[in-house]
């Protein structure tokens, strides 16, 4: 018998997978890593003319089946102005991890957006102050939107957000759209320092290659989700911030090579032993989260294949249940 492969478009994935679905799936993936039930993830980075590629792979043992996901994403951050294309696009291939059979090929954009927001939500639940009511979102593209949606799902006291972006018009549109969607007071922030000083939660999700969130901007008790640094040359945080904070990571080895942690280590401001632990250990209750209202906590979110695989498997199973997608036989 020749098994068929399911092709899923972005619109089909969006119809079967919500952010609310993705948060528990991603939490379970990290918990499985902490419990030793996940396959070791891998990461490859390739520089290209005008951009870069990330290839990530990992596997999870879900119910009675092992799933392995491979994601190849291109990041070309002038795409919109040059070609009218998304800055990040790619595919995820989902495999049966018990016999190597390809199960599905799916667009990666929706899954990448949702699973990244889900990881921030999982961290914010445990690392942000319970009374946090104001957030600053740095980077007002698609990822900034899902980050604010994710925070609103897990931080019910949130009533206000600042929108900071290199483009004042992008920040203005973001503020108007997200205010209407979430019922929050979202306002454009023409400069970051004042917004950050008035926030208990800060999310950085830009393609920056130099730090812009400085230590002096951040008040005691702030939770920071550092999302943008997912390759060795990207950075958003002043390394001195990490030296003064409790640092949590998605995957320690990966963060040490491509995340904000990487730059703090290179600067000699931290050692690996200073990292409090991985998100999976936090979710599993093996390490404490926030220990005081004055503590600055940082989640270094480099993005993992475990998140991709968890989200892709959930989308695949629901698409199969609903009869969505196109079937093809590769080895006919």
């Amino acid at each position: 018998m020749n098994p068929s492969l399911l092709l899923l478009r972005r619109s089909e994935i969006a119809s079967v997978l919500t952010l609310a679905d993705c948060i528990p799936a991603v939490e379970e993936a990290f918990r499985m890593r902490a419990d030793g039930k996940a396959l070791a993830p891998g990461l490859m980075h390739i520089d290209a003319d005008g951009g870069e590629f990330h290839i990530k792979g990992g596997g999870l043992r879900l119910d009675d089946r092992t799933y392995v996901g491979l994601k190849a994403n291109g990041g070309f951050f002038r795409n919109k102005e040059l070609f009218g294309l998304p800055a990040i696009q790619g595919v995820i291939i989902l495999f049966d991890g018990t016999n190597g059979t390809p199960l599905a090929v799916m667009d990666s954009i929706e899954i990448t957006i949702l699973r990244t927001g889900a990881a921030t939500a999982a961290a914010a639940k445990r690392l942000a102050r319970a009374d946090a009511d104001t957030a600053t979102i740095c980077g007002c593209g698609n990822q900034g939107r899902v980050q604010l949606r994710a925070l609103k799902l897990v931080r019910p006291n949130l009533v206000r957000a600042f929108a900071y972006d290199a483009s004042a018009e992008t920040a203005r549109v973001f503020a108007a759209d997200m205010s209407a969607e979430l019922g929050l007071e979202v306002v454009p922030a023409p400069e970051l320092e004042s917004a950050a000083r008035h926030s208990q939660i800060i999310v950085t999700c830009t393609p920056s290659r130099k730090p812009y969130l400085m230590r002096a901007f951040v008040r005691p008790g702030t939770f920071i989700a550092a999302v943008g640094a997912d390759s060795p040359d990207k950075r958003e945080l002043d390394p001195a911030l990490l030296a003064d904070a409790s640092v949590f990571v998605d995957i320690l080895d990966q963060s040490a090579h491509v995340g904000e942690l990487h730059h703090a280590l290179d600067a000699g401001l931290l050692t690996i032993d200073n990292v409090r632990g991985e998100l999976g250990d936090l979710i599993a209750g093996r390490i404490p989260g926030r220990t005081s209202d004055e503590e600055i906590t940082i989640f270094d979110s480099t993005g993992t294949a475990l998140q991709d695989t968890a989200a892709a498997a959930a989308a695949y199973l629901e698409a199969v249940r609903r009869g969505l997608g196109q079937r093809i036989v590769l080895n006919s």
Side-chain angles (χ1 to χ4, degrees):
M1 182 181 75
N2 292 330
S4 62
L5 180 75
L6 185 64
L7 299 179
L8 290 172
R9 297 173 297 175
R10 181 180 180 183
S11 59
E12 290 166 329
I13 293 166
S15 75
V16 298
L17 188 67
T18 68
L19 182 57
D21 298 327
C22 218
I23 292 170
V26 164
E27 287 180 320
E28 183 60 19
F30 279 113
R31 183 181 289 108
M32 291 176 72
R33 173 172 168 80
D35 292 341
K37 296 179 181 178
L39 306 186
L43 168 68
M44 181 186 300
H45 176 82
I46 301 171
D47 287 319
D49 293 339
E52 61 190 356
F53 289 91
H54 294 168
I55 297 91
K56 296 178 178 178
L60 298 168
R61 299 179 180 94
L62 301 173
D63 297 325
D64 58 349
R65 193 176 202 177
T66 298
Y67 294 93
V68 171
L70 297 178
K71 182 174 79 173
N73 261 9
F76 290 75
F77 292 97
R78 296 190 64 201
N79 264 3
K80 185 174 182 179
E81 62 179 284
L82 293 177
F83 309 112
L85 294 171
I88 297 175
Q89 52 192 331
V91 296
I92 295 174
I93 307 173
L94 187 69
F95 293 86
D96 186 323
T98 60
N99 57 28
T101 300
L103 300 173
V105 173
M106 56 188 77
D107 176 86
S108 70
I109 293 176
E110 196 71 16
I111 283 176
T112 299
I113 291 170
L114 292 176
R115 62 77 150 154
T116 307
T120 293
K125 269 196 218 179
R126 297 160 175 90
L127 298 177
R129 287 175 51 144
D131 61 353
D133 61 10
T134 303
T136 291
I137 305 296
C138 304
C140 297
N142 285 332
Q143 190 52 242
R145 291 170 181 254
V146 82
Q147 291 290 321
L148 188 53
R149 292 179 188 123
L151 292 175
K152 186 68 169 67
L153 283 174
V154 299
R155 296 284 73 178
N157 290 325
L158 198 67
V159 296
R160 183 170 62 158
F162 295 104
Y164 176 76
D165 196 274
S167 164
E169 177 62 13
T170 299
R172 186 194 66 78
V173 172
F174 176 98
D177 290 350
M178 300 309 287
S179 293
E181 177 184 331
L182 298 179
L184 299 175
E185 179 192 2
V186 185
V187 295
E191 55 91 23
L192 180 57
E193 182 173 0
S194 177
R197 287 182 182 276
H198 287 87
S199 299
Q200 301 93 18
I201 297 174
I202 302 171
V203 178
T204 62
C205 49
T206 74
S208 177
R209 260 76 176 171
K210 62 181 182 180
Y212 59 84
L213 182 63
M214 310 312 292
R215 172 64 188 92
F217 298 178
V218 178
R219 62 194 266 187
T222 301
F223 163 67
I224 300 167
V227 175
D230 58 1
S231 63
D233 62 337
K234 290 184 183 176
R235 55 193 309 193
E236 301 178 290
L237 307 190
D238 178 356
L241 253 176
L242 285 86
D244 283 351
S246 296
V247 178
F248 299 80
V249 299
D250 46 18
I251 294 183
L252 183 57
D253 289 346
Q254 187 167 298
S255 292
H257 287 91
V258 302
E260 297 293 346
L261 175 62
H262 153 63
H263 299 292
L265 293 173
D266 282 357
L269 296 175
L270 285 181
T271 70
I272 290 293
D273 291 338
N274 296 130
V275 177
R276 283 273 295 274
E278 292 189 353
L279 180 58
D281 293 316
L282 183 62
I283 291 170
R286 295 201 170 121
I287 57 173
R290 170 175 293 278
T291 58
S292 78
D293 283 346
E294 300 303 300
E295 184 180 19
I296 296 172
T297 55
I298 295 175
F299 173 48
D300 191 10
S301 177
T302 57
T304 77
L306 301 180
Q307 296 160 252
D308 295 319
T309 303
Y316 168 75
L317 291 171
E318 183 62 17
V320 170
R321 188 184 74 80
R322 295 193 198 178
L324 298 179
Q326 179 183 349
R327 290 278 184 182
I328 63 169
V329 178
L330 291 178
N331 58 351
S332 59

